[in-house]
Amino acid sequence: MKILGIESSCDETAAAVVEDGRKVLSNAIYSQIAKHRPYGGVVPEIASRNHVAKLPGIIEEALEAAGETYGSIDALAVTYGPGLASSLLIGYAAAKTLAQRLGKPLIGVNHHEGHLHSVFMKEDAPTEEEVFPLLGLMVSGGDTSLVLMRGTGQYELLGSTIDDAAGEALDKAAAVLKLGYPGGPIIQKTAEGGNPNAIRFPRGLDSVDRGKWVYKYDRDLCFSFSGLKTSLLTHVKNLDHEPQGQELADIAASYQEAVAEALTMRVERALGRFEVKSFSCAGGVSLNKILREKLTALAEKTGVPLLLCPPSLCTDNAAMIAGVAYEKARLNKACAEPVDVNPNLRLADWE
């Protein structure tokens, strides 16, 4: 079964062709980073205009790279939430039009679900029996969550950020330090050679207090990065100069350490509380070298295997969307095509 996936939830314009849920035949992505860099973040109007201009060519590129045609595609998949409403609408309109024109089914996919599924997007990925139940850490610019996956499409949200996502925290740090955009890669590069213990930045919700709750989740499995950002801003303001050289590297390394440790410590708590066969990390921030090292060390410490997706599928892409759509079709859980986009879509069990 070959599915053409379309992803336009934020500032990546993407299309991909995936066979049988795991074999990525093509994965075309147009990155808009250069368009948004002068503004220090994503500008919705610029993003949607670029989707309009680039998506038709990206779809053609994906089909050509896969050696497929519109006629050889069995179904279409599209991200219908969460994300920027204006961006989601472009991909949704294109996918719905193609589905109707070709007479092919259209399967709507939750963007976060795509990230969770991305660790299975390789032909040698383990089977469900080998890895489920699985604890998934989803870290991106838009969300940071801990999810217990008891099976494909069976999700229990254990903890989530109560303010900012990890990716957003890295972007804001890069802005404070005047390093540029996007923040994740720049912070990592600047931190090279820096001392991660030079400054003790807060880890957010550091105390373990089972008696307090955040929404319906345990406080100690939730994330908070607003205090970390404030701490960095205060530290820089208290300096009588603009940090450069080794001092700048130390600040970046210490901040990066705080983000990575805050994420890892929640994963470790959850692993001690829930019986799982494996755990995973997905999303754009999962590319971070320090985070990967800490999670790998945690896997060795606990004996619980760690699943990481290929680097090419860590950031927003359409292959992961097509992969989830295949699983929905395989399990007869492909609901009727979405009637509209849902910018605030939440992760929930398949019905």
Side-chain angles (χ1 to χ4, degrees), residues 113-308:
E113 201 172 356
H115 278 307
L116 289 172
H117 183 78
S118 63
V119 298
F120 299 106
M121 295 298 296
K122 46 188 178 181
E123 294 183 75
D124 61 345
T127 63
E128 289 190 13
E129 292 74 17
E130 294 174 307
V131 299
F132 287 128
L134 176 150
L135 176 69
L137 171 65
M138 182 169 56
V139 278
S140 66
D143 189 51
T144 298
S145 300
L146 270 176
V147 182
L148 180 62
M149 300 174 63
R150 301 189 186 280
T152 301
Q154 299 176 37
Y155 312 110
E156 180 183 346
L157 198 56
L158 304 179
S160 185
T161 178
I162 65 170
D163 41 56
D164 306 313
E168 182 185 357
L170 291 169
D171 284 341
K172 294 297 175 62
V176 169
L177 297 174
K178 300 179 181 179
L179 297 175
Y181 174 84
I186 297 176
I187 290 291
Q188 179 172 291
K189 184 173 179 59
T190 305
E192 292 177 0
N195 178 6
N197 300 311
I199 307 161
R200 175 68 187 185
F201 287 118
R203 272 51 175 167
L205 301 177
D206 227 352
S207 62
V208 179
D209 187 347
R210 297 298 302 280
K212 294 181 179 179
W213 295 77
V214 179
Y215 304 125
K216 64 178 181 179
Y217 315 118
D218 282 349
R219 173 186 172 91
D220 58 330
L221 293 183
C222 285
F223 307 88
S224 174
F225 294 102
S226 60
L228 172 61
K229 293 191 307 181
T230 301
S231 180
L232 172 65
L233 183 61
T234 301
H235 179 85
V236 172
K237 282 185 174 181
N238 286 339
L239 297 175
D240 58 1
H241 58 277
E242 189 171 299
Q244 299 288 338
Q246 186 62 47
E247 183 180 32
L248 179 60
D250 287 346
I251 294 173
S254 298
Y255 189 91
Q256 179 178 244
E257 179 75 8
V259 172
E261 189 171 299
L263 295 169
T264 305
M265 65 193 295
R266 268 73 179 183
V267 174
E268 184 170 8
R269 288 172 187 167
L271 287 176
R273 197 169 300 169
F274 297 91
E275 197 70 34
V276 296
K277 290 184 179 178
S278 61
F279 71 104
S280 68
C281 181
V285 182
S286 69
L287 279 170
N288 183 269
K289 177 183 176 183
I290 301 303
L291 177 59
R292 288 195 169 216
E293 288 177 354
K294 287 185 177 295
L295 292 176
T296 299
L298 180 60
E300 294 173 353
K301 174 183 176 181
T302 61
V304 181
L306 168 65
L307 302 180
L308 295 169

Side-chain angles (χ1 to χ4, degrees), residues 24-156:
V24 181
L25 302 181
S26 65
N27 189 30
I29 303 174
Y30 170 71
S31 174
Q32 298 183 22
I33 287 177
K35 303 285 185 180
H36 301 279
R37 182 174 286 122
Y39 307 97
V42 177
V43 180
E45 183 180 355
I46 293 176
S48 58
R49 287 180 180 273
N50 276 274
H51 288 316
V52 171
K54 298 296 183 179
L55 185 55
I58 288 295
I59 293 174
E60 293 287 348
E61 181 183 333
L63 288 170
E64 183 178 351
E68 301 295 333
T69 65
Y70 286 111
S72 64
I73 295 299
D74 298 299
L76 290 95
V78 66
T79 303
Y80 73 105
L84 299 174
S86 54
S87 288
L88 289 165
L89 280 168
I90 307 305
Y92 172 76
K96 187 167 185 176
T97 301
L98 280 173
Q100 291 180 342
R101 177 66 179 85
L102 299 171
K104 302 291 175 70
L106 174 61
I107 303 171
V109 174
N110 184 311
H111 178 78
H112 292 165
E113 201 172 356
H115 278 307
L116 289 172
H117 183 78
S118 63
V119 298
F120 299 106
M121 295 298 296
K122 46 188 178 181
E123 294 183 75
D124 61 345
T127 63
E128 289 190 13
E129 292 74 17
E130 294 174 307
V131 299
F132 287 128
L134 176 150
L135 176 69
L137 171 65
M138 182 169 56
V139 278
S140 66
D143 189 51
T144 298
S145 300
L146 270 176
V147 182
L148 180 62
M149 300 174 63
R150 301 189 186 280
T152 301
Q154 299 176 37
Y155 312 110
E156 180 183 346

